[in-house]
Amino acid sequence: MKKKPRFFTTPIYYVNAKPHLGHAYTTIAADVATRFMQMDSRDTYFLTGTDEHGDKIVQAAEKQDTSPKEYVDKISKLFQDLWPVLNISNDQFIRTTNPDHIRVVEQVLSKIHDSGDIYFSSYEGLYCFGCERFYQERELVDGKCPDHGTEPEVIRESNYFFRMSKYQDWLIDHIQTHPDFIRPEQYKKEILSFLKEPLEDLCISRPKTRLTWGITLPFDEDYVTYVWFDALVNYISALGYPDSDLFKKFWPTARHFVAKDIIKPHGIYWPIMLKAAGIDIYDGLNVHGFWNVRGSKMSKSIGNVTDPLEVTREFGVDPFRYFLMREMVFGKDANFTEDVIVTRINSDLANDLGNLFSRVLTMTNRYCKQGFSKENLTPRDPDLSLESPARTAIEAFRQAMANCEFHNGTAAVWTFIGLMNKYIDTREPWALAKDETRRPMLETVLYNLMEGLRVVSCLIYPVMPETSSKMQETLGLEPPDPGFYPLDQIMDWGQIKTGLGFSKPSILFPRIEIKPDKKEKKTAKPFKPALKDEITIEDFSKIDLRTGTVIQAEPVEKSEKLLKLLVDLGAETRQIIAGIAKNYTPETIVGKQVLVVANLKEAKLMGQVSQGMVLAAGSKKELILTGPDKKAPDGCPVK
Ligand code: MSP
């Protein structure tokens, strides 16, 4: 049976300021959800856009001395240009100034007006110009607007009202009988608690004497439509309501993504508008929390409004997308600082995933140059197989992603990555490689790791589509047509080809160096050691110096100074104990090419065999590893 299609939307953003981190988050989250649903073999439609009417826009345009139209064109373009940079796969970008949208707003208004749910009445109330809405006394904080901190003005006007109160009981019942209608739970509770109080009718017009930048009411020329009544309709006008095939296919499968600031219009006005207009109610509202930046709400006056383009330029698109999805618990607030993003990138991406990828491919290329041989493989050997943890990861990922728990979905993949890193440490492929009789085991271990990487490459697709395809290319995989693997094909164990070599792994995520503290630099003393006794060229030629790449590193137990390294010397792999633990952590050293004294007599340090020495410059306090100035073949003699 064909699965139900899914329609994903973001809020249409106001064009009174350029896009920031918060807009990027919602749009990336909706993009990830869309891509995930495509993996789940569903047809999807993904909509985003800009909200271009209302007082705020007129004021912003006036400030810049331009007309509202010129102004909205300019800012809307900033959003339209940003999304391709962030790899957003929206099918449409809607603008509320589009004539097609305006026509549908008029249609919906007429329909509700004809059915008697819009009435004309005079009203006196407290109006906040910033929010473009009336407030009730009880909603104010110390008599001021909770969002703007300004005192609302008393306004008396005749206006059109939407009879929301009539639908209050219906809405409560709808929310209670559709458990996934508002998620996560805390926001459902918030809406239900709001609905405990009697619902006021909504003022849906603004007299043209006060505002002209809006959609004229189809039944009264002297009024324009309240901006929210206009904006919410975008979700159906974009699909071509009421008759288009697109509308018939995708409505009412909508999953709206919004942040907590706009749950009331989405959780109350919108379902009631649909109900009153006789249109099916959307499927679900997914509400997330707010990003603060360096501990404070983003604001121009604090100067912490974060530009997604700048972050992407500094850290890359996939790392930025990963960070946002992994760091924010969907529904809760999160904090953005340079330190948190750098730590996530270095530890989760460069270290956990990046090193795993490079270790496995380096070893596979080395030990199975011509590829895996079928006769040697028993990838399902229960002692060696990674099939069962892969299945667990896929299932946990599937469940979390279907519930929009992107943080849990990514965490499930990283649990599997951690397990594979441990698997390498315990299976020690380099040790197996020394014994020809253990060849089948070596190939099986590496094959399992390659299969595990295949699973990871498929699962990271919604969050990091570019990295997913980069990994798949190196793994020799050819994903089916739209460029990704459907969820139910990922588990088929054994898709890595046998009998074919693999290409060299590229670095997936370069480590980000944290800028050193300037103060430290100033106080560093010059280092002038005394020169040693002279030697002859013959003396020097006795030293067999070679290039080698550190493929694994770990601390030596009970030692503060020593690291146990596994160094690839081309023809062989050496275990070398190096006294550099104060200057290098295992994560910072893996992948580096170093110089090795290859003919140094084997020695034991803290009970560990050391088969050589790596060269480092500097003093005991500050050791700096030395290496060739560009990558040389491993095992290359140094003269
Ligand atoms: N135009 C209305 C939406 C109409 S939808 C029919 C609007 N626009 S907005 O530009 O103010 O966008 C609000 C949305 O931007 C939030 O709901 C959220 O999706 C995103 N964010 C804005 N600031 C944010 C954070 N600080 N953190 C996370 N997301 C935030 O409201």
Side-chain angles (χ1 to χ4, degrees):
M1 204 179 75
K2 222 170 152 23
K3 285 185 176 168
K4 192 170 160 181
R6 284 253 172 260
F7 174 36
F8 290 99
T9 73
T10 73
I12 45 170
Y13 303 110
Y14 286 132
V15 286
N16 56 348
K18 58 182 205 166
H20 61 56
L21 175 72
H23 306 125
Y25 176 79
T26 319
T27 314
I28 291 172
D31 184 61
V32 169
T34 306
R35 289 175 188 264
F36 168 75
M37 280 298 167
Q38 290 169 354
M39 286 173 74
D40 196 24
S41 307
R42 292 171 196 262
D43 288 344
T44 62
Y45 197 80
F46 177 14
L47 173 72
T48 185
T50 41
D51 187 355
E52 306 186 357
H53 288 127
D55 281 340
K56 282 186 198 172
I57 309 302
V58 179
Q59 286 156 13
E62 272 167 9
K63 262 195 204 157
Q64 293 207 356
D65 239 355
T66 55
S67 70
K69 177 69 181 131
E70 261 176 77
Y71 178 78
V72 296
D73 285 350
K74 189 174 105 188
I75 307 284
S76 176
K77 184 150 189 324
L78 296 179
F79 284 89
Q80 289 171 59
D81 290 347
L82 171 65
W83 302 142
V85 177
L86 299 185
N87 226 336
I88 301 298
S89 58
N90 55 305
D91 295 288
Q92 192 187 141
F93 188 97
I94 190 171
R95 303 180 57 185
T96 53
T97 46
N98 288 350
D100 285 349
H101 168 76
I102 294 172
R103 213 169 304 125
V104 176
V105 173
E106 290 165 353
Q107 263 176 297
V108 173
L109 279 165
S110 300
K111 217 169 165 191
I112 302 180
H113 185 246
D114 292 349
S115 70
D117 284 338
I118 289 176
Y119 62 93
F120 191 62
S121 163
S122 107
Y123 182 81
E124 185 178 276
L126 297 162
Y127 191 80
C128 170
F129 281 89
C131 301
E132 299 181 29
R133 59 167 275 215
F134 286 100
Y135 271 95
Q136 290 159 33
E137 206 97 46
R138 67 181 155 91
E139 292 177 281
L140 302 176
V141 179
D142 298 330
K144 291 182 179 155
C145 161
D147 280 350
H148 293 87
T150 49
E151 270 180 33
E153 286 180 36
V154 178
I155 285 194
R156 185 180 174 80
E157 297 180 330
S158 292
N159 260 315
Y160 286 88
F161 289 83
F162 173 41
R163 224 181 280 284
M164 290 212 303
S165 49
K166 177 175 154 190
Y167 296 96
Q168 179 158 5
D169 291 341
W170 164 81
L171 182 59
I172 294 173
D173 182 64
H174 185 83
I175 296 173
Q176 281 168 342
T177 51
H178 295 77
D180 289 344
F181 186 59
I182 301 173
R183 287 189 299 188
E185 193 68 20
Q186 74 191 89
Y187 296 108
K188 181 205 285 191
K189 283 194 184 136
E190 199 175 312
I191 290 286
L192 282 172
S193 115
F194 186 82
L195 287 170
K196 281 189 182 138
E197 301 288 330
L199 203 51
E200 300 245 330
D201 290 345
L202 183 69
C203 175
I204 54 133
S205 62
R206 299 290 181 263
K208 281 195 180 165
T209 47
R210 188 147 64 76
L211 173 75
T212 52
W213 186 243
I215 301 177
T216 300
L217 290 183
F219 40 83
D220 193 334
E221 283 260 306
D222 295 335
Y223 288 85
V224 293
T225 312
Y226 170 45
V227 68
W228 270 105
F229 203 101
D230 157 2
L232 288 160
V233 171
N234 92 88
Y235 298 133
I236 55 171
S237 69
L239 293 180
Y241 168 83
D243 295 321
S244 81
D245 290 344
L246 205 57
F247 181 75
K248 286 178 193 148
K249 177 165 181 183
F250 287 101
W251 194 263
T253 71
R255 289 276 159 102
H256 299 307
F257 278 76
V258 299
K260 62 184 184 180
D261 54 336
I262 51 177
I263 52 171
K264 231 199 252 171
H266 283 84
I268 297 179
Y269 309 171
W270 180 224
I272 295 184
M273 283 163 67
L274 290 166
K275 179 78 181 160
I279 305 168
D280 288 337
I281 313 305
Y282 66 82
D283 259 12
L285 181 63
N286 300 301
V287 187
H288 63 79
F290 254 44
W291 278 97
N292 294 318
V293 174
R294 294 186 285 281
S296 314
K297 194 172 167 185
M298 266 186 277
S299 96
K300 270 195 191 156
S301 56
I302 301 180
N304 63 349
V305 180
T306 302
D307 179 350
L309 278 177
E310 272 172 30
V311 184
T312 311
R313 239 175 263 134
E314 192 166 354
F315 300 110
V317 177
D318 274 5
F320 179 49
R321 290 173 61 109
Y322 170 79
F323 166 76
L324 291 179
M325 294 302 106
R326 180 71 186 85
E327 190 67 22
M328 176 176 260
V329 174
F330 195 86
K332 306 270 184 255
D333 290 352
N335 191 26
F336 181 92
T337 69
E338 175 142 314
D339 277 358
V340 211
I341 185 166
V342 168
T343 307
R344 275 262 173 238
I345 293 176
N346 282 349
S347 104
D348 298 11
L349 298 182
N351 195 24
D352 296 347
L353 175 56
N355 280 344
L356 174 70
F357 182 69
S358 100
R359 285 166 92 186
V360 173
L361 273 135
T362 306
M363 289 191 285
T364 305
N365 282 330
R366 171 146 329 110
Y367 302 134
C368 310
K369 273 202 184 67
Q370 321 297 334
F372 296 101
S373 86
K374 266 198 185 127
E375 305 80 71
N376 283 335
L377 288 183
T378 48
R380 290 200 153 139
D381 174 345
D383 284 344
L384 298 178
S385 181
L386 285 169
E387 196 174 349
S388 156
R391 191 183 300 282
T392 310
I394 295 171
E395 211 24 66
F397 169 83
R398 182 202 289 268
Q399 262 190 31
M401 299 299 278
N403 289 330
C404 294
E405 292 164 5
F406 307 115
H407 53 289
N408 285 334
T410 42
V413 182
W414 259 256
T415 304
F416 182 51
I417 290 173
L419 194 135
M420 282 202 277
N421 272 318
K422 283 213 187 86
Y423 177 93
I424 301 182
D425 297 345
T426 50
R427 295 292 165 191
E428 300 188 319
W430 51 91
L432 298 173
K434 286 190 180 142
D435 180 351
E436 200 39 44
T437 63
R438 303 177 90 188
R439 178 95 206 152
M441 187 163 175
L442 169 68
E443 287 203 22
T444 303
V445 163
L446 289 175
Y447 191 83
N448 268 292
L449 287 163
M450 292 287 275
E451 275 291 301
L453 280 176
R454 177 186 63 76
V455 169
V456 169
S457 76
C458 295
L459 297 183
I460 62 170
Y461 165 77
V463 178
M464 296 194 282
E466 277 174 18
T467 309
S468 165
S469 88
K470 211 171 174 184
M471 285 176 73
Q472 290 179 352
E473 212 182 301
T474 315
L475 294 169
L477 296 166
E478 283 151 28
D481 212 1
F484 56 84
Y485 285 86
L487 268 177
D488 39 17
Q489 279 178 32
I490 300 175
M491 202 48 236
D492 299 341
W493 206 244
Q495 296 185 52
I496 294 287
K497 295 190 188 93
T498 54
L500 281 177
F502 298 90
S503 42
K504 279 214 153 197
S506 50
I507 292 179
L508 291 182
F509 307 101
R511 283 187 67 79
I512 314 242
E513 300 298 336
I514 299 173
K515 289 159 210 143
D517 192 338
K518 281 172 204 142
K519 265 191 227 151
E520 265 178 25
K521 264 194 180 167
K522 267 190 212 155
T523 53
K525 284 193 190 123
F527 175 62
K528 288 189 197 152
L531 290 175
K532 288 188 181 159
D533 290 345
E534 194 172 82
I535 56 165
T536 64
I537 188 88
E538 287 77 30
D539 291 335
F540 179 73
S541 65
K542 286 187 193 155
I543 304 171
D544 188 359
L545 271 185
R546 303 267 172 161
T547 51
T549 299
V550 181
I551 53 173
Q552 202 187 327
E554 60 187 59
V556 169
E557 240 179 71
K558 294 191 195 134
S559 168
E560 283 180 7
K561 281 201 309 199
L562 300 179
L563 283 186
K564 180 159 91 177
L565 309 179
L566 210 64
V567 184
D568 180 359
L569 288 187
E572 57 179 318
T573 307
R574 295 278 187 91
Q575 173 170 301
I576 297 179
I577 309 297
I580 49 172
K582 292 213 165 137
N583 301 97
Y584 291 87
T585 59
E587 304 84 67
T588 52
I589 194 172
V590 171
K592 278 198 197 303
Q593 195 169 44
V594 290
L595 299 184
V596 175
V597 182
N599 60 339
L600 193 68
K601 204 168 168 207
E602 198 171 282
K604 266 198 172 175
L605 294 168
M606 296 288 285
Q608 304 275 350
V609 174
S610 185
Q611 305 161 307
M613 184 169 90
V614 292
L615 295 189
S619 65
K620 274 185 190 162
K621 267 195 197 150
E622 159 87 303
L623 281 169
I624 303 152
L625 282 167
T626 55
D629 97 315
K630 62 180 181 204
K631 184 97 179 153
D634 286 329
C636 183
V638 180
K639 294 172 201 158

